[in-house]
Amino acid sequence: MRTRRAALGTVAGAVSLALTLSACGETSESSSGSVDGTIGIAMPTRASERWLTDGKSVVKDLESKGYKTKLVYGDDDPKAQVAQVGDLVEQGVDALIIAAIDNKSLNGVLKKAADADIPVISYDRLILGSANVDYYVSFDNEQVGRQQARFIIEKLGLEDGKGPFNIELFAGSPDDNNTRYFYDGSMHLLQPYLDSKQLVVRSGETSLDQVTTLRWDGATAQKRMSRILSKSYNGKTVDAVLSPYDGISLGVLAAVKEYGYGPDGKDLPIITGQDAELASVKSIIAGEQSQTVYKDLRELATVAANMADDLLKGRTPRINNRRGYKNGVKDVPAYLLQPASVDKTNYSYVLAGYYTAEQLK
């Protein structure tokens, strides 16, 4: 079998190569069938349902191709993840699939991976500032933001001239490169209504650095939303909240409920989300959270597994975006999947096969 960056020499002529759960610091190793090599998988956290799904799905797809896997979770600790990736390099894995916690903390250890001829696939979160990232797999992140904004625009009737409405803005973690893509996608559609005063941010917090949520943490979002309501909404009502992720959405929802929103009080604001996590889908069915963006993590895992398999067998990985994702050092060739907006009207068929009817009860 051809392994590691020896295979990249073949690929480089065709593509520009700008290209089980474990406790923190441990690995979980598994394999099935004949062994074609070992692939290290570094995921950011076990605190989110989606990353557990990602880890399981990537392992499953790689094992079906005959690879051993070493899966680690960094538990939201960038230093721990650096150490984990370093351990995987020392163990001599044939390739790395990494969903970064901090998109700039891995540069040193990725240099060690390059020195050991280990190709690196950046998974869902683009690793910045390193020449040693070969490929990137994710969803169309600006489209995620646009779908969240489009939902707000349609539900408030902004295109029909309705308003003004009060809105508050939330964004993801400042150390995640996707945060800017989500926010820019949303603001591309929302900014004209902010300019026309059909949408009003009463808190005044509109710049990205004012609205980020470290580690995408729901409790942090809840505290911020509570502060905003206390300071800026005495006698006023918040009509919509742009939330980039379901965990943040549920934190926002908890805050507004504490301030008298709900069935026996003010109407709940429109609250967007992302990842179609089970708790949020149930909340949507119950008429609380308004929307989420579904990204089929099984498809993302399959793309990553296929890409690793191609790299290690000297084939050209499939990409559909050559220059759109710049990490500060290079254009990283990418494969992007398309997300889908989910609300109470369409969840049953958009999510068909992803959750069972029993799970959604």
Side-chain angles (χ1 to χ4, degrees), residues 5 78-79 81-87 89-90 96 98 100 102-118 120 127-133 327 329:
R5 285 182 191 267
K79 291 182 179 179
Q81 187 175 62
V82 170
Q84 288 175 336
V85 174
D87 286 344
V89 172
E90 290 296 322
L96 286 164
I98 302 173
D102 179 335
N103 56 26
K104 294 182 179 179
S105 67
L106 292 162
N107 296 0
V109 74
L110 293 191
K111 176 62 167 59
K112 293 180 180 178
D115 291 343
D117 294 329
I118 301 171
V120 173
I127 297 169
L128 301 183
S130 174
N132 302 306
V133 180
N327 78 345
V329 176

Side-chain angles (χ1 to χ4, degrees), residues 53-94:
T53 300
D54 280 287
K56 293 176 184 177
S57 298
V58 174
V59 166
K60 179 180 178 181
D61 284 346
L62 288 170
E63 287 183 353
S64 72
K65 297 178 183 296
Y67 291 96
K68 287 185 177 180
T69 59
K70 293 179 180 288
L71 171 65
V72 295
Y73 280 89
D75 291 338
D76 287 320
D77 183 341
K79 291 182 179 179
Q81 187 175 62
V82 170
Q84 288 175 336
V85 174
D87 286 344
L88 291 171
V89 172
E90 290 296 322
Q91 291 169 34
V93 297
D94 295 285

Side-chain angles (χ1 to χ4, degrees), residues 117-179:
D117 294 329
I118 301 171
V120 173
I121 296 169
S122 190
Y123 185 94
D124 200 52
R125 297 174 171 180
L126 183 61
I127 297 169
L128 301 183
S130 174
N132 302 306
V133 180
D134 297 297
Y135 283 90
Y136 176 49
V137 295
S138 189
F139 287 82
D140 186 334
N141 296 317
E142 286 198 4
Q143 186 64 23
V144 171
R146 286 173 184 252
Q147 289 181 352
Q148 292 164 345
R150 173 57 57 190
F151 186 85
I152 291 171
I153 290 166
E154 291 178 353
K155 290 302 177 182
L156 292 180
L158 297 178
E159 290 180 328
D160 297 327
K162 294 181 181 179
F165 297 102
N166 296 319
I167 187 171
E168 293 298 329
L169 309 174
F170 282 74
S173 192
D175 53 10
D176 185 341
N177 190 60
N178 286 351
T179 291

Side-chain angles (χ1 to χ4, degrees), residues 115-242:
D115 291 343
D117 294 329
I118 301 171
V120 173
I121 296 169
S122 190
Y123 185 94
D124 200 52
R125 297 174 171 180
L126 183 61
I127 297 169
L128 301 183
S130 174
N132 302 306
V133 180
D134 297 297
Y135 283 90
Y136 176 49
V137 295
S138 189
F139 287 82
D140 186 334
N141 296 317
E142 286 198 4
Q143 186 64 23
V144 171
R146 286 173 184 252
Q147 289 181 352
Q148 292 164 345
R150 173 57 57 190
F151 186 85
I152 291 171
I153 290 166
E154 291 178 353
K155 290 302 177 182
L156 292 180
L158 297 178
E159 290 180 328
D160 297 327
K162 294 181 181 179
F165 297 102
N166 296 319
I167 187 171
E168 293 298 329
L169 309 174
F170 282 74
S173 192
D175 53 10
D176 185 341
N177 190 60
N178 286 351
T179 291
R180 180 171 293 280
Y181 284 98
F182 297 145
Y183 193 67
D184 287 351
S186 295
M187 297 309 291
H188 178 80
L189 298 183
L190 294 179
Q191 192 62 54
Y193 299 105
L194 292 169
D195 294 341
S196 70
K197 309 301 183 185
Q198 280 179 264
L199 290 177
V200 178
V201 181
R202 294 190 60 82
S203 69
E205 298 174 2
T206 58
S207 65
L208 183 58
D209 63 345
Q210 291 177 306
V211 302
T212 53
T213 311
L214 186 63
R215 302 286 181 264
W216 303 84
D217 181 60
T220 299
Q222 181 175 350
K223 289 178 183 178
R224 177 170 174 252
M225 190 69 209
S226 294
R227 174 180 60 77
I228 288 171
L229 290 169
S230 176
K231 181 179 178 181
S232 303
Y233 283 87
N234 290 322
K236 302 292 182 180
T237 300
V238 60
D239 301 298
V241 179
L242 174 69

